[in-house]
Every structure is written in C-alpha cells, then in structure tokens.
Amino acid sequence: MKKSFVIYVLSDSVGDTAEQVARAAAEQYKNTDYEIKKYPYVESVVKIDNIIDNVDVKNSIFVYTIVNQEISEYLKKVCDQKNITYIDIMAPSLDKFSSFLNQEPLRESGVIRKLDENYFKRVEAVEFAVKYDDGKDPRGILKADIVLIGVSRSSKTPLSMYLAHKNYKVVNIPIVTGSKVPDQLFEVPRKKIIGLMIDPSDLIEIRRERIKVLGLDNSVDYVSIEKIYEELEYAQKIMKKLGCPVIDMTKKAVEEAANLVIDIINDLN
C-alpha cells in the first residue's frame, strides 16, 4: 500500500531550492505518493500560522529555506508543538560556513534571486551591445544608458562590451568624415554621450595591424595619416557640436577607460 503525504515547501524567497531538494529526496522512496505545496515569500509569523492551520500533521513534512532567524525559529517552535516533521535545509550549511569563515551570515532573504536578476540584466546588456554595435541601428541610441562615439578603431566596441558586463546598455556610433551622424544623438541627454579621441600616431599603428589581419595593404586611405587627421578633426567638431564629454583613449586600457566613463555618467546624474 502506498504511503501518501504532503510536502510543504516554505521559503522567504521563491522556494525553488527547497522544492528541488524535497523532490529529489522524495523520489528515492518506493511505494509513496506525494504532493508538493509551495509557499514562497514567507516573511511573517502570521503567514506561518495560516499555513499550519490547514495541515494534516500526521501526513505532512515541512521543508524550508528561511534565513531570517526569528521566522525560522518560530517555524521550528510551532512544528515541535504540533509534532510536525520538518527539515531546515539552510541551517546545516550556514552553521558549517559560519564555522569555516568565522563570521555570522547576513540572514538576508532573496540573495540568490538578486544574483540571478543581476546575471540576466548583464546578459540583456551584452545582447544590447551586440545588437547596436557600430551604428547597426541608430534607434538604439534612444534606449541606451551610454552612447559612445568616435572614429574607427578608437576602442568603441571593446569598451561597449566591457561596460555591458557592468550592466550598462551601450550603443556605439562610428563618426565618418563627411557623413551625417544619426539625428537621435541630438535627441538624448548630452550626459549619455561620451566621445572617444585618440592620438593620430597611435591610431595609425592600430589600423595597420587591423589591415594586416584583413589581408589588405598599407596603401588604403584607412591608414593614411592625412586621412586620419581629417577624421579626427571631423570627429572633434561633431563632439563639440554635441557638447559631450570626451575621453582620450591613447594608451588607455579598456578597464581604465570604462572606469572613466562610469565616473562621468555617475557625476552627471
């Protein structure tokens, strides 16, 4: 004859961890039939009382991940009083970590959820940077947290990707001599736009390395010093017209430049 029982999963977060552990354990036993009832965001003793009032104590087991000490202790107390079997999943782990690290836990609920939210925000920012890289779609300017503008090989793309990993949605727009910049640049707050400049001698070396990779020769305008001076002068005019902050990328690592961008954005907010 099958043993039927109910697993009550309680958590002060979403409860997925407790549910997975409970299900994995329950599946190890033959001739059983169980139901899982999950109660996320258990953050008060009143909610615990409401749950326990409807429990069949003989055929129920409580599995929970509640890091708030007051609520966790209350749940244990009530379960002991009503003779309800319970498993505190977090307690053994927290005890071992506390002993190992020689410090007390934060007892803050939803930490994993916050980490997950941060992860998905970062993924979204990276996808945004890829989608709107190198001026592919200027409509992204209106949605971006940061807009980088500069001539070719001024580190717009690597800087965009690095900032994306810091959860910023970044668009980068190339400035090409004689070409009109997107109208959207004049529709967003100037504080969102960062101009990137670079020393001509550095830029020509970077571009020469680039055309080697592409299998081109040094005769193209792309590595002409006259052309580079012209491009940088034009870019400077555009940046001045926009009234945006400008960063000199000469000899700067992407990490250093990213910190400067973030500082500028934060100072202007």
Side-chain angles (χ1 to χ4, degrees):
M1 183 176 177
K2 282 190 175 183
K3 163 77 173 177
S4 296
F5 63 101
V6 179
I7 303 172
Y8 285 82
V9 172
L10 283 69
S11 176
D12 49 14
S13 187
V14 293
D16 288 347
T17 301
E19 181 181 6
Q20 289 171 10
V21 171
R23 194 180 297 279
E27 288 295 329
Q28 296 296 317
Y29 299 91
K30 296 180 180 179
N31 298 319
T32 61
D33 185 14
Y34 67 89
E35 176 188 0
I36 291 182
K37 293 185 178 181
K38 186 163 76 170
Y39 294 87
Y41 307 114
V42 177
E43 297 173 333
S44 70
V45 296
V46 173
K47 192 161 186 178
I48 289 173
D49 288 337
N50 291 338
I51 295 168
I52 287 182
D53 283 346
N54 299 300
V55 169
D56 177 0
V57 298
K58 291 183 179 179
N59 296 299
S60 300
I61 182 169
F62 276 45
V63 179
Y64 62 93
T65 51
I66 296 177
V67 295
N68 181 288
Q69 195 160 13
E70 181 183 348
I71 297 174
S72 177
E73 291 297 333
Y74 181 79
L75 179 55
K76 290 177 187 177
K77 177 183 173 183
V78 174
C79 285
D80 285 336
Q81 289 173 346
K82 294 184 176 290
N83 202 28
I84 299 172
T85 300
Y86 63 87
I87 303 169
D88 182 352
I89 292 175
M90 293 295 291
S93 297
L94 290 175
D95 288 344
K96 290 293 183 182
F97 270 96
S98 293
S99 177
F100 175 71
L101 298 171
N102 194 30
Q103 63 175 285
E104 291 301 309
L106 294 171
R107 296 286 179 183
E108 181 181 342
S109 63
V111 173
I112 292 177
R113 183 176 77 252
K114 290 173 186 175
L115 290 174
D116 286 344
E117 288 171 356
N118 189 60
Y119 168 77
F120 287 115
K121 187 177 179 181
R122 183 163 61 251
V123 169
E124 183 182 0
V126 171
E127 290 176 345
F128 186 93
V130 171
K131 181 177 181 180
Y132 296 108
D133 181 44
D134 204 31
K136 289 177 184 173
D137 185 347
R139 291 175 298 180
I141 293 170
L142 303 178
K143 306 173 187 176
D145 300 317
I146 300 170
V147 181
L148 303 177
I149 62 173
V151 300
S152 175
R153 313 315 294 176
S154 57
S155 296
K156 296 187 304 300
T157 295
L159 186 52
S160 294
M161 296 307 298
Y162 188 90
L163 288 165
H165 280 87
K166 297 287 186 181
N167 294 351
Y168 291 96
K169 291 182 178 178
V170 186
V171 167
N172 72 80
I173 304 294
I175 297 180
V176 181
T177 306
S179 295
K180 185 174 178 289
V181 295
D183 293 333
Q184 289 89 343
L185 283 175
F186 297 93
E187 298 173 20
V188 296
R190 298 295 178 265
K191 64 184 180 182
K192 285 188 175 185
I193 305 171
I194 306 290
L196 305 180
M197 291 296 287
I198 186 170
D199 184 83
S201 57
D202 273 40
L203 183 57
I204 196 169
E205 290 303 318
I206 294 169
R207 288 189 177 183
R208 280 173 179 165
E209 289 300 318
R210 178 59 176 166
I211 64 169
K212 281 182 188 177
V213 173
L214 296 175
L216 302 174
D217 62 65
N218 284 332
S219 64
V220 295
D221 279 349
Y222 190 63
V223 291
S224 161
I225 191 64
E226 292 81 10
K227 176 71 172 175
I228 285 174
Y229 272 110
E230 185 182 342
E231 286 184 44
L232 290 172
E233 186 179 348
Y234 181 70
Q236 204 165 30
K237 286 179 181 177
I238 294 294
M239 294 171 194
K240 188 174 181 180
K241 186 175 181 180
L242 288 167
C244 65
V246 178
I247 293 175
D248 183 358
M249 295 298 294
T250 308
K251 308 294 185 187
K252 275 192 177 61
V254 170
E255 296 86 350
E256 182 186 359
N259 288 333
L260 288 172
V261 170
I262 293 169
D263 287 344
I264 290 169
I265 294 297
N266 289 338
D267 285 345
L268 292 174
N269 281 342

